[in-house]
Amino acid sequence: MDFPGESLPILAGIITNTGKAMATTMKYIYAVSAKDFYNIGIKDVFRVALLDPTDPSKLENLGIDINKKEIKDIFDSVEFQRVQHMICYHLAVRIPFYRKQIEELSLKDKQLKIIYDAAINEGADNFGEMINETYDENTKLVKQRQFIVPPFSSDWFRRYIYTYIPKLGEINNRNLYFLGCVEAMFPLYYSAIIAQMKKVIFLLQK
């Protein structure tokens, strides 16, 4: 069944909203890391956040304060605001992979490009070319024989942090906990966005 063209903005919205949600979840992870993190189950944060990867509002029910000055100073900075746009870009360039991973996503190349362009227009950006993947390269890769989707990695995030937000790159227990959780968060959210798209596609094609 052909995917309805008028629904393409919905898929673009899943990408951009997931990027925003991931940036918000990072605030909660950093807030948790200020406490006795050896006794706090980070699984609770992920479990609630991944219920809907596009909407982090349910995290407010955990009672974790993300409005403390030390958190706002880092996460409300211009340097960190770029992270959200870069996550959106990283998710957007993987649109060709989504078609391969979701059998129900019977989109034409032109439709995939429309979704990608919509995400870029919403602010997805590869600041400083930190992210090695591009939409065009991934389009070519996915057509190769025996292609395997590469992992959704946070490597670029670490490089960006060390370069532009050195406070998060300092070697201490809190930062190591934060960066370790973020490393786990990327593939978890990638699986969640695939599941979310499958759910939405099912509803749109009914």
Side-chain angles (χ1 to χ4, degrees), residues 84-100:
Q84 174 184 305
H85 300 292
M86 294 169 73
I87 294 173
C88 290
Y89 172 85
H90 197 185
L91 291 169
V93 297
R94 293 189 145 232
I95 290 170
F97 299 166
Y98 302 154
R99 180 172 63 180
K100 182 176 180 63

Side-chain angles (χ1 to χ4, degrees), residues 17-176:
N17 288 334
T18 298
K20 294 175 184 176
M22 288 178 69
T24 299
T25 301
M26 288 184 190
K27 294 183 184 180
Y28 283 90
I29 294 173
Y30 193 73
V32 167
S33 71
K35 302 180 181 180
D36 184 1
F37 47 76
Y38 293 110
N39 296 319
I40 293 175
I42 194 65
K43 286 183 179 180
D44 289 337
V45 174
F46 287 144
R47 177 178 54 80
V48 174
L50 296 172
L51 288 173
D52 182 347
T54 66
D55 180 11
S57 62
K58 291 183 176 63
L59 286 169
E60 297 171 6
N61 299 327
L62 294 176
I64 299 172
D65 185 5
I66 61 171
N67 294 309
K68 293 180 179 179
K69 185 178 185 302
E70 62 171 345
I71 296 175
K72 292 179 72 66
D73 285 348
I74 294 174
F75 291 89
D76 290 350
S77 66
V78 172
E79 289 76 16
F80 188 82
Q81 292 305 309
R82 294 189 192 120
V83 169
Q84 174 184 305
H85 300 292
M86 294 169 73
I87 294 173
C88 290
Y89 172 85
H90 197 185
L91 291 169
V93 297
R94 293 189 145 232
I95 290 170
F97 299 166
Y98 302 154
R99 180 172 63 180
K100 182 176 180 63
Q101 293 175 283
I102 305 172
E103 293 180 2
E104 299 85 352
L105 193 56
S106 54
L107 291 176
K108 301 177 177 65
D109 287 348
K110 185 180 294 187
Q111 290 176 307
L112 295 181
K113 188 64 164 55
I114 289 173
I115 298 172
Y116 173 75
D117 288 341
I120 296 297
N121 290 336
E122 286 296 316
D125 181 54
N126 189 11
F127 178 82
E129 304 300 317
M130 284 282 176
I131 301 167
N132 295 326
E133 294 180 42
T134 69
Y135 177 83
D136 290 340
E137 288 174 354
N138 286 346
T139 298
K140 293 176 183 176
L141 281 174
V142 80
K143 295 177 180 178
Q144 295 179 0
R145 288 186 177 181
Q146 299 181 345
F147 168 75
I148 298 176
V149 176
F152 187 58
S153 169
S154 66
D155 289 349
W156 66 264
F157 176 75
R158 284 181 177 269
R159 292 197 302 273
Y160 180 83
I161 289 300
Y162 296 146
T163 305
Y164 295 100
I165 314 180
K167 183 175 178 59
L168 286 179
E170 294 173 1
I171 298 178
N172 56 53
N173 285 353
R174 183 174 190 179
N175 286 346
L176 290 175

Side-chain angles (χ1 to χ4, degrees), residues 1-4 104-107 204-206:
M1 180 185 295
D2 289 337
F3 192 81
E104 299 85 352
L105 193 56
S106 54
L107 291 176
L204 290 172
Q205 292 185 335
K206 286 185 68 175

